[in-house]
Amino acid sequence: MADLSGRDLAWLERRRAELFGLISQAGDFRRGALNVVWRKCGKPNCACAQPGHRGHGPQYNLTRRIGGKTLNVHLKPGPELEKAQREVAEHQRFADLVEEVTVVSEAICAARPATAGAAPPPAGAEKDDMLRPGSWPGVPADG
């Protein structure tokens, strides 16, 4: 992550716009980790049952958490594995961009003077809506 100290507000806003542009170009992605595993089949007469044998493989799995549970998907070597490798790499690139946007946005918040006016409302929100109780996400109307 780049050091943002000493950067002026205009530079930070240009960088944030640049990062949003990169995010909008993100390709197909999926969360998870790719693992290479070797497994023993459990047959007593198989070579993998011998001491020191690491087992059958390599086998490739995509591992991810869904709803608090770990899901492993077996991937076939070749196009299926290569596709998953691209998608997982693209997710990492996307996550890195989101992290950088967050850091830059926090620097913008710190650099923007409180007296210079409020930050622009989120896209699609009317200015008056932002002032009405209950219009902020996660904040109840009564307080």
Side-chain angles (χ1 to χ4, degrees), residues 41-116:
C41 67
K43 296 177 184 173
N45 294 330
C46 183
C48 73
Q50 301 303 313
H53 195 285
R54 62 183 181 174
H56 299 281
Q59 295 177 0
Y60 303 92
N61 291 328
L62 173 66
T63 304
R64 53 197 172 131
R65 304 256 316 154
I66 298 177
K69 295 187 178 192
T70 301
L71 175 69
N72 280 307
V73 177
H74 180 75
L75 302 170
K76 295 175 186 165
E80 184 179 37
L81 175 60
E82 292 162 6
K83 178 179 179 284
Q85 288 170 325
R86 285 190 308 272
E87 292 164 348
V88 169
E90 186 67 3
H91 179 265
Q92 185 59 55
R93 189 178 81 81
F94 174 79
D96 291 345
L97 288 169
V98 168
E99 177 61 25
E100 189 173 352
V101 164
T102 302
V103 169
V104 169
S105 186
E106 288 172 348
I108 289 170
C109 291
R112 191 181 309 280
T115 58

Coordinates of all heavy atoms in Angstrom, one line a residue, residues 41-116:
C41 N -6.2 -43.9 -0.2 CA -7.6 -44.4 -0.6 C -8.2 -45.3 0.4 O -9.4 -45.5 0.5 CB -7.5 -45.2 -2.0 SG -6.5 -46.7 -1.9
G42 N -7.4 -45.9 1.3 CA -7.9 -46.7 2.4 C -7.9 -48.2 2.1 O -8.2 -49.0 2.9
K43 N -7.5 -48.6 0.8 CA -7.4 -50.0 0.5 C -6.1 -50.5 1.1 O -5.0 -50.0 0.8 CB -7.4 -50.2 -1.0 CG -8.7 -49.8 -1.7 CD -8.6 -49.9 -3.2 CE -9.9 -49.4 -3.8 NZ -9.8 -49.4 -5.3
P44 N -6.1 -51.6 1.9 CA -4.9 -52.1 2.5 C -3.8 -52.6 1.6 O -2.7 -52.5 2.0 CB -5.5 -53.3 3.4 CG -6.8 -53.6 2.9 CD -7.3 -52.4 2.2
N45 N -4.2 -53.1 0.4 CA -3.2 -53.6 -0.5 C -2.6 -52.6 -1.5 O -1.8 -52.9 -2.3 CB -3.7 -54.8 -1.3 CG -4.0 -56.0 -0.4 OD1 -3.3 -56.1 0.6 ND2 -5.0 -56.8 -0.7
C46 N -3.1 -51.3 -1.4 CA -2.7 -50.3 -2.3 C -1.3 -49.7 -1.9 O -0.9 -49.8 -0.8 CB -3.7 -49.1 -2.3 SG -3.3 -47.8 -3.5
A47 N -0.6 -49.3 -2.9 CA 0.8 -48.7 -2.6 C 0.7 -47.6 -1.6 O 1.6 -47.4 -0.8 CB 1.4 -48.3 -3.9
C48 N -0.4 -46.8 -1.7 CA -0.5 -45.7 -0.8 C -0.6 -46.1 0.7 O -0.4 -45.2 1.6 CB -1.7 -44.8 -1.2 SG -3.3 -45.4 -0.8
A49 N -0.9 -47.3 1.0 CA -1.0 -47.8 2.3 C 0.3 -48.1 3.0 O 0.4 -48.3 4.2 CB -1.9 -49.1 2.4
Q50 N 1.4 -48.1 2.1 CA 2.7 -48.4 2.6 C 3.2 -47.2 3.4 O 3.0 -46.0 3.1 CB 3.7 -48.7 1.5 CG 3.3 -49.8 0.6 CD 3.1 -51.1 1.5 OE1 4.0 -51.4 2.3 NE2 2.0 -51.8 1.3
P51 N 4.0 -47.4 4.5 CA 4.5 -46.3 5.3 C 5.4 -45.4 4.4 O 6.2 -45.9 3.6 CB 5.4 -47.0 6.3 CG 4.9 -48.4 6.4 CD 4.3 -48.7 5.0
G52 N 5.3 -44.1 4.6 CA 6.1 -43.1 3.8 C 5.5 -42.7 2.5 O 6.0 -41.8 1.9
H53 N 4.5 -43.5 2.0 CA 3.8 -43.1 0.7 C 2.9 -41.9 1.0 O 2.1 -42.0 1.9 CB 3.1 -44.3 0.1 CG 2.7 -44.1 -1.3 ND1 1.7 -43.3 -1.7 CD2 3.2 -44.7 -2.4 CE1 1.6 -43.4 -3.0 NE2 2.5 -44.2 -3.5
R54 N 2.9 -40.9 0.2 CA 2.1 -39.7 0.5 C 0.7 -39.9 0.0 O -0.2 -39.1 0.3 CB 2.7 -38.4 0.0 CG 3.0 -38.3 -1.5 CD 3.7 -37.0 -1.7 NE 3.9 -36.8 -3.1 CZ 4.4 -35.7 -3.6 NH1 4.7 -34.7 -2.8 NH2 4.6 -35.6 -4.9
G55 N 0.4 -40.8 -0.8 CA -1.0 -41.0 -1.3 C -1.2 -40.7 -2.7 O -0.2 -40.4 -3.5
H56 N -2.4 -40.8 -3.2 CA -2.8 -40.5 -4.6 C -2.9 -39.0 -4.8 O -3.4 -38.3 -4.0 CB -4.1 -41.2 -4.9 CG -4.1 -42.7 -4.7 ND1 -3.6 -43.5 -5.7 CD2 -4.6 -43.4 -3.7 CE1 -3.7 -44.8 -5.3 NE2 -4.3 -44.7 -4.1
G57 N -2.5 -38.6 -6.0 CA -2.6 -37.2 -6.2 C -1.6 -36.8 -7.3 O -0.9 -37.6 -7.9
P58 N -1.4 -35.5 -7.5 CA -2.1 -34.5 -6.8 C -3.6 -34.3 -7.2 O -4.0 -34.6 -8.3 CB -1.3 -33.2 -7.1 CG -0.8 -33.5 -8.5 CD -0.6 -35.0 -8.6
Q59 N -4.4 -33.9 -6.2 CA -5.8 -33.5 -6.4 C -5.9 -32.1 -6.1 O -5.3 -31.6 -5.2 CB -6.7 -34.4 -5.6 CG -6.6 -35.9 -5.9 CD -7.5 -36.7 -5.0 OE1 -8.1 -36.2 -4.1 NE2 -7.5 -38.0 -5.3
Y60 N -6.7 -31.4 -6.8 CA -6.9 -29.9 -6.6 C -8.3 -29.6 -6.1 O -9.3 -30.1 -6.6 CB -6.7 -29.2 -8.0 CG -5.3 -29.5 -8.5 CD1 -5.2 -30.6 -9.4 CD2 -4.2 -28.8 -8.2 CE1 -3.9 -30.9 -9.9 CE2 -2.9 -29.1 -8.7 CZ -2.8 -30.2 -9.6 OH -1.6 -30.5 -10.1
N61 N -8.3 -28.8 -5.1 CA -9.6 -28.4 -4.4 C -9.7 -26.9 -4.4 O -8.7 -26.2 -4.1 CB -9.7 -29.0 -3.0 CG -9.9 -30.5 -3.0 OD1 -10.4 -31.0 -3.9 ND2 -9.3 -31.1 -2.0
L62 N -10.9 -26.4 -4.5 CA -11.2 -25.0 -4.2 C -11.9 -25.0 -2.9 O -13.0 -25.7 -2.8 CB -12.1 -24.4 -5.3 CG -12.6 -23.0 -5.0 CD1 -11.5 -22.0 -4.9 CD2 -13.7 -22.6 -6.0
T63 N -11.4 -24.4 -1.9 CA -11.9 -24.4 -0.5 C -12.4 -23.0 -0.2 O -11.7 -22.0 -0.5 CB -10.9 -24.8 0.5 OG1 -10.3 -26.0 0.1 CG2 -11.4 -24.8 1.9
R64 N -13.7 -22.9 0.3 CA -14.2 -21.6 0.7 C -15.3 -21.9 1.8 O -15.7 -23.0 2.0 CB -14.8 -20.9 -0.5 CG -15.8 -21.6 -1.3 CD -16.1 -21.0 -2.6 NE -16.9 -21.9 -3.4 CZ -18.0 -21.6 -4.0 NH1 -18.4 -20.3 -4.0 NH2 -18.7 -22.5 -4.7
R65 N -15.6 -20.8 2.5 CA -16.5 -20.8 3.6 C -17.8 -20.2 3.1 O -17.8 -19.1 2.5 CB -16.1 -20.0 4.8 CG -14.7 -20.5 5.3 CD -14.7 -21.3 6.6 NE -15.5 -20.9 7.6 CZ -16.0 -21.7 8.5 NH1 -15.6 -23.0 8.5 NH2 -16.7 -21.3 9.5
I66 N -18.9 -21.0 3.3 CA -20.3 -20.5 2.9 C -21.2 -20.7 4.1 O -21.3 -21.9 4.5 CB -20.8 -21.2 1.7 CG1 -19.9 -20.9 0.5 CG2 -22.2 -20.8 1.4 CD1 -20.2 -21.6 -0.8
G67 N -21.7 -19.7 4.6 CA -22.7 -19.8 5.7 C -22.1 -20.5 7.0 O -22.7 -21.3 7.6
G68 N -20.8 -20.2 7.2 CA -20.1 -20.8 8.4 C -19.6 -22.2 8.2 O -19.1 -22.8 9.1
K69 N -19.8 -22.8 7.0 CA -19.3 -24.1 6.7 C -18.3 -24.1 5.6 O -18.3 -23.3 4.7 CB -20.5 -25.0 6.3 CG -21.5 -25.2 7.3 CD -22.6 -26.2 6.9 CE -23.5 -26.4 8.1 NZ -24.4 -27.5 7.9
T70 N -17.3 -25.0 5.7 CA -16.3 -25.1 4.7 C -16.8 -26.0 3.6 O -17.3 -27.1 3.8 CB -15.0 -25.7 5.3 OG1 -14.6 -24.9 6.4 CG2 -13.9 -25.8 4.3
L71 N -16.6 -25.5 2.3 CA -17.0 -26.2 1.2 C -15.8 -26.5 0.3 O -15.0 -25.6 0.0 CB -18.0 -25.4 0.3 CG -18.4 -26.0 -1.0 CD1 -19.3 -27.3 -0.8 CD2 -19.2 -25.0 -1.8
N72 N -15.5 -27.7 0.0 CA -14.4 -28.1 -0.9 C -15.0 -28.6 -2.2 O -15.9 -29.5 -2.2 CB -13.6 -29.3 -0.3 CG -12.6 -28.8 0.7 OD1 -11.8 -27.9 0.5 ND2 -12.7 -29.4 1.9
V73 N -14.5 -28.1 -3.3 CA -14.9 -28.5 -4.6 C -13.7 -29.0 -5.3 O -12.7 -28.4 -5.5 CB -15.5 -27.3 -5.4 CG1 -15.8 -27.7 -6.8 CG2 -16.6 -26.6 -4.7
H74 N -13.8 -30.3 -5.7 CA -12.7 -31.0 -6.5 C -12.7 -30.4 -7.9 O -13.7 -30.3 -8.6 CB -12.9 -32.5 -6.5 CG -11.8 -33.2 -7.2 ND1 -10.6 -33.4 -6.7 CD2 -11.8 -33.8 -8.4 CE1 -9.8 -34.1 -7.5 NE2 -10.6 -34.3 -8.6
L75 N -11.5 -30.0 -8.3 CA -11.3 -29.5 -9.7 C -10.4 -30.4 -10.5 O -9.4 -31.0 -10.0 CB -10.6 -28.1 -9.6 CG -11.3 -27.1 -8.8 CD1 -10.4 -25.9 -8.6 CD2 -12.6 -26.7 -9.4
K76 N -10.8 -30.6 -11.8 CA -10.1 -31.4 -12.7 C -8.9 -30.6 -13.2 O -9.0 -29.4 -13.6 CB -10.9 -31.9 -13.8 CG -12.1 -32.8 -13.4 CD -13.0 -33.1 -14.6 CE -14.2 -33.9 -14.1 NZ -15.2 -33.9 -15.1
P77 N -7.7 -31.2 -13.3 CA -6.6 -30.5 -14.0 C -6.9 -30.2 -15.4 O -7.7 -30.8 -16.0 CB -5.5 -31.6 -13.9 CG -5.9 -32.6 -12.9 CD -7.4 -32.6 -12.9
G78 N -6.4 -29.0 -15.8 CA -6.7 -28.6 -17.2 C -7.5 -27.3 -17.2 O -7.4 -26.5 -16.3
P79 N -8.4 -27.2 -18.1 CA -9.2 -26.0 -18.2 C -10.0 -25.6 -17.0 O -10.1 -24.4 -16.6 CB -10.2 -26.2 -19.4 CG -9.5 -27.3 -20.2 CD -8.7 -28.1 -19.2
E80 N -10.6 -26.6 -16.3 CA -11.4 -26.3 -15.1 C -10.5 -25.7 -14.0 O -10.9 -24.7 -13.3 CB -12.0 -27.6 -14.6 CG -12.9 -27.4 -13.4 CD -13.6 -28.7 -12.9 OE1 -13.0 -29.8 -13.0 OE2 -14.8 -28.6 -12.6
L81 N -9.3 -26.3 -13.7 CA -8.4 -25.8 -12.7 C -7.9 -24.4 -13.1 O -7.8 -23.5 -12.3 CB -7.2 -26.8 -12.5 CG -6.1 -26.3 -11.6 CD1 -6.7 -26.0 -10.2 CD2 -5.0 -27.3 -11.6
E82 N -7.5 -24.2 -14.4 CA -7.0 -23.0 -14.9 C -8.0 -21.8 -14.7 O -7.6 -20.7 -14.3 CB -6.5 -23.1 -16.3 CG -5.3 -24.0 -16.4 CD -5.1 -24.5 -17.9 OE1 -5.8 -24.1 -18.8 OE2 -4.2 -25.4 -18.0
K83 N -9.2 -22.1 -15.0 CA -10.3 -21.2 -14.9 C -10.4 -20.7 -13.4 O -10.5 -19.6 -13.1 CB -11.6 -21.7 -15.4 CG -12.8 -20.8 -15.2 CD -14.1 -21.5 -15.8 CE -15.3 -20.7 -15.7 NZ -15.9 -20.7 -14.3
A84 N -10.4 -21.7 -12.5 CA -10.6 -21.4 -11.1 C -9.4 -20.6 -10.6 O -9.5 -19.7 -9.8 CB -10.7 -22.7 -10.3
Q85 N -8.2 -20.9 -11.1 CA -7.0 -20.1 -10.7 C -7.1 -18.7 -11.1 O -6.8 -17.8 -10.4 CB -5.7 -20.7 -11.4 CG -5.3 -22.0 -10.7 CD -4.2 -22.8 -11.5 OE1 -4.2 -22.7 -12.7 NE2 -3.3 -23.4 -10.8
R86 N -7.6 -18.4 -12.4 CA -7.8 -17.1 -12.8 C -8.9 -16.4 -12.0 O -8.7 -15.2 -11.6 CB -8.3 -17.1 -14.3 CG -7.2 -17.4 -15.3 CD -7.7 -17.1 -16.7 NE -8.9 -17.8 -17.1 CZ -9.0 -19.0 -17.6 NH1 -7.9 -19.7 -17.8 NH2 -10.2 -19.5 -17.9
E87 N -10.0 -17.0 -11.6 CA -11.0 -16.4 -10.9 C -10.6 -16.1 -9.4 O -10.9 -15.0 -8.9 CB -12.3 -17.3 -10.9 CG -12.9 -17.5 -12.2 CD -13.9 -18.6 -12.4 OE1 -13.9 -19.5 -11.5 OE2 -14.6 -18.6 -13.4
V88 N -9.9 -17.0 -8.8 CA -9.4 -16.7 -7.5 C -8.4 -15.6 -7.5 O -8.4 -14.7 -6.6 CB -8.8 -18.0 -6.8 CG1 -8.0 -17.7 -5.5 CG2 -9.9 -19.0 -6.6
A89 N -7.5 -15.5 -8.5 CA -6.5 -14.5 -8.6 C -7.2 -13.1 -8.8 O -6.8 -12.1 -8.3 CB -5.5 -14.7 -9.7
E90 N -8.3 -13.1 -9.6 CA -9.1 -11.9 -9.9 C -9.8 -11.4 -8.6 O -9.9 -10.2 -8.4 CB -10.1 -12.1 -11.0 CG -10.8 -10.9 -11.5 CD -9.9 -9.8 -12.2 OE1 -8.7 -10.1 -12.4 OE2 -10.4 -8.8 -12.5
H91 N -10.2 -12.4 -7.8 CA -10.8 -12.0 -6.5 C -9.8 -11.3 -5.7 O -10.1 -10.3 -5.0 CB -11.5 -13.2 -5.8 CG -12.1 -12.7 -4.5 ND1 -11.4 -12.8 -3.3 CD2 -13.3 -12.1 -4.2 CE1 -12.1 -12.3 -2.3 NE2 -13.3 -11.9 -2.9
Q92 N -8.6 -11.8 -5.6 CA -7.6 -11.2 -4.8 C -7.2 -9.8 -5.3 O -7.1 -8.9 -4.5 CB -6.3 -12.1 -4.8 CG -5.2 -11.5 -3.9 CD -5.7 -11.5 -2.4 OE1 -6.1 -12.5 -1.9 NE2 -5.6 -10.3 -1.8
R93 N -7.2 -9.6 -6.6 CA -6.9 -8.3 -7.2 C -8.1 -7.3 -6.8 O -7.8 -6.2 -6.4 CB -6.8 -8.4 -8.7 CG -6.4 -7.1 -9.4 CD -6.2 -7.3 -10.9 NE -7.5 -7.2 -11.6 CZ -8.1 -6.1 -11.9 NH1 -7.5 -4.9 -11.6 NH2 -9.2 -6.1 -12.6
F94 N -9.3 -7.8 -6.9 CA -10.5 -7.0 -6.5 C -10.4 -6.6 -5.1 O -10.6 -5.5 -4.7 CB -11.8 -7.8 -6.8 CG -13.0 -7.2 -6.4 CD1 -13.6 -6.1 -7.1 CD2 -13.6 -7.6 -5.2 CE1 -14.8 -5.5 -6.6 CE2 -14.8 -6.9 -4.7 CZ -15.4 -5.9 -5.5
A95 N -10.1 -7.6 -4.2 CA -10.0 -7.3 -2.8 C -8.9 -6.3 -2.5 O -9.1 -5.4 -1.6 CB -9.8 -8.6 -2.0
D96 N -7.8 -6.4 -3.2 CA -6.7 -5.4 -3.0 C -7.1 -4.0 -3.4 O -6.8 -3.0 -2.7 CB -5.5 -5.9 -3.7 CG -4.8 -7.1 -3.2 OD1 -5.1 -7.5 -2.0 OD2 -4.0 -7.7 -3.9
L97 N -7.9 -3.9 -4.5 CA -8.4 -2.6 -5.0 C -9.4 -2.1 -4.0 O -9.3 -0.9 -3.7 CB -9.0 -2.8 -6.3 CG -8.1 -3.0 -7.5 CD1 -8.9 -3.4 -8.8 CD2 -7.2 -1.8 -7.8
V98 N -10.3 -2.9 -3.4 CA -11.2 -2.4 -2.4 C -10.5 -1.9 -1.2 O -10.9 -0.9 -0.6 CB -12.3 -3.5 -2.1 CG1 -13.1 -3.1 -0.9 CG2 -13.2 -3.8 -3.3
E99 N -9.5 -2.6 -0.8 CA -8.7 -2.2 0.4 C -8.0 -0.9 0.1 O -8.1 0.0 1.0 CB -7.7 -3.3 0.8 CG -6.8 -2.9 1.9 CD -7.5 -2.6 3.2 OE1 -8.6 -3.2 3.4 OE2 -6.9 -1.9 4.1
E100 N -7.5 -0.7 -1.1 CA -6.8 0.6 -1.4 C -7.8 1.7 -1.5 O -7.6 2.8 -1.0 CB -6.0 0.5 -2.7 CG -5.2 1.7 -2.9 CD -4.2 1.6 -4.1 OE1 -4.1 0.6 -4.7 OE2 -3.6 2.7 -4.4
V101 N -9.0 1.5 -2.0 CA -10.1 2.5 -2.1 C -10.4 2.9 -0.7 O -10.6 4.1 -0.4 CB -11.3 2.0 -2.8 CG1 -12.5 2.9 -2.6 CG2 -11.1 2.0 -4.3
T102 N -10.5 1.9 0.2 CA -10.9 2.2 1.6 C -9.8 3.1 2.3 O -10.1 4.1 2.9 CB -11.0 0.9 2.4 OG1 -12.1 0.1 1.8 CG2 -11.4 1.2 3.9
V103 N -8.6 2.8 2.1 CA -7.5 3.6 2.7 C -7.5 5.0 2.1 O -7.4 6.0 2.8 CB -6.1 2.9 2.4 CG1 -4.9 3.8 2.8 CG2 -6.0 1.6 3.2
V104 N -7.6 5.1 0.8 CA -7.7 6.4 0.1 C -8.9 7.2 0.6 O -8.8 8.4 0.9 CB -7.7 6.3 -1.4 CG1 -8.0 7.6 -2.1 CG2 -6.3 5.8 -1.9
S105 N -10.0 6.6 0.7 CA -11.2 7.3 1.2 C -11.1 7.8 2.6 O -11.5 8.9 3.0 CB -12.5 6.3 1.0 OG -13.6 7.0 1.3
E106 N -10.5 6.9 3.5 CA -10.2 7.4 4.8 C -9.3 8.6 4.9 O -9.5 9.5 5.7 CB -9.6 6.2 5.6 CG -10.7 5.2 6.0 CD -10.1 3.9 6.6 OE1 -8.9 3.7 6.6 OE2 -10.9 3.1 7.1
A107 N -8.3 8.6 4.0 CA -7.4 9.8 3.9 C -8.1 11.0 3.4 O -7.9 12.1 3.8 CB -6.2 9.4 2.9
I108 N -9.1 10.8 2.5 CA -9.9 11.9 2.0 C -10.7 12.5 3.2 O -10.8 13.7 3.4 CB -10.8 11.5 0.8 CG1 -10.0 11.3 -0.4 CG2 -11.9 12.5 0.6 CD1 -10.7 10.6 -1.6
C109 N -11.3 11.6 3.9 CA -12.1 12.0 5.1 C -11.3 12.8 6.1 O -11.7 13.8 6.6 CB -12.8 10.8 5.8 SG -14.0 10.0 4.8
A110 N -10.1 12.4 6.3 CA -9.2 13.1 7.2 C -8.7 14.4 6.6 O -8.5 15.4 7.4 CB -8.0 12.2 7.5
A111 N -8.5 14.5 5.3 CA -8.0 15.7 4.7 C -9.1 16.7 4.4 O -8.7 17.9 4.3 CB -7.3 15.3 3.4
R112 N -10.3 16.3 4.3 CA -11.4 17.3 3.9 C -11.7 18.1 5.2 O -12.1 17.5 6.2 CB -12.6 16.5 3.4 CG -13.6 17.4 2.8 CD -14.9 16.7 2.3 NE -14.6 15.5 1.5 CZ -14.4 15.6 0.2 NH1 -14.3 16.7 -0.4 NH2 -14.2 14.5 -0.5
P113 N -11.6 19.4 5.0 CA -12.0 20.3 6.2 C -13.4 20.1 6.5 O -14.3 20.0 5.6 CB -11.7 21.7 5.7 CG -10.8 21.5 4.4 CD -11.2 20.2 3.9
A114 N -13.7 20.2 7.8 CA -15.1 20.1 8.3 C -15.9 21.3 7.8 O -17.2 21.2 7.6 CB -15.2 20.0 9.8
T115 N -15.3 22.4 7.6 CA -16.1 23.6 7.3 C -16.2 23.8 5.8 O -16.9 24.7 5.3 CB -15.3 24.9 7.8 OG1 -14.0 24.9 7.3 CG2 -15.3 24.8 9.3
A116 N -15.6 22.9 5.0 CA -15.7 23.1 3.5 C -17.0 22.5 2.9 O -17.1 22.5 1.8 CB -14.5 22.4 2.9

